[in-house]
Amino acid sequence: MDRETPQRARPADAGGLLDIAEVAAATGVAPSALRYYERLGLLEPAGRHGLRRTYRPGAVDRVALILAARASGFSLAEVAELLAGDPEEVRPYLTGRIEVLDRRIEEMRQARARISHALTCEHPSLLDCPTFRAGLRDLLP
């Protein structure tokens, strides 16, 4: 589906607002999740059109931001705090998150190297392989 479809399909009398189904379709987020985001204060409905919740067009970007934050490891509670916080107060927290992501990226790089080695290792067991065992020991404190 074209990302523009929800905006073209909105009712003419909705005042340029998107209904919950349109936001759900544009973001891939279930309407129940959108309502949950509302309860957490992450998303604000603009009102109702008939029985359906409506949102300003910017809600699609807000949901995209929530999804991006979740993909970066933020909990919904952390997302709520970040969205409500003063940008200058949020920056140190984000700097710390970059450090966590950098560590996780390095851990994943090492995991990939171990798996790649396991695919080509000629030892009868990975635990017989000194290279693989050394990689495992690196995981220990």
Side-chain angles (χ1 to χ4, degrees):
M1 175 192 313
D2 180 0
R3 288 233 179 233
E4 298 299 316
T5 300
Q7 293 183 5
R8 283 195 305 262
R10 69 178 168 253
D13 58 8
L17 300 175
L18 304 171
D19 77 24
I20 194 166
E22 292 169 323
V23 175
T27 62
V29 174
S32 59
L34 296 173
R35 289 187 294 272
Y36 183 62
Y37 292 170
E38 285 179 32
R39 286 193 299 276
L40 296 178
L42 296 170
L43 190 61
E44 184 180 341
R48 291 192 176 272
H49 182 75
L51 296 176
R52 291 181 173 249
R53 284 175 165 83
T54 58
Y55 299 92
R56 290 173 191 81
V60 171
D61 291 333
R62 184 131 176 141
V63 172
L65 174 67
I66 294 165
L67 296 175
R70 295 289 292 143
S72 299
F74 290 92
S75 69
L76 289 175
E78 289 171 320
V79 174
E81 288 179 29
L82 292 172
L83 291 174
D86 176 89
E88 291 305 314
E89 294 172 6
V90 167
R91 289 185 204 290
Y93 184 78
L94 294 177
T95 299
R97 183 53 63 130
I98 288 173
E99 293 166 4
V100 169
L101 287 172
D102 287 342
R103 280 193 302 275
R104 186 69 181 135
I105 289 167
E106 179 58 22
E107 290 167 359
M108 296 306 293
R109 188 196 63 73
Q110 291 173 6
R112 187 184 192 288
R114 284 190 301 276
I115 292 168
S116 292
H117 177 77
L119 289 171
T120 60
C121 183
E122 295 183 7
H123 287 84
S125 164
L126 289 174
L127 293 177
D128 291 338
C129 176
T131 302
F132 193 81
R133 280 197 328 266
L136 291 178
R137 281 191 218 109
D138 288 343
L139 296 172
L140 301 174

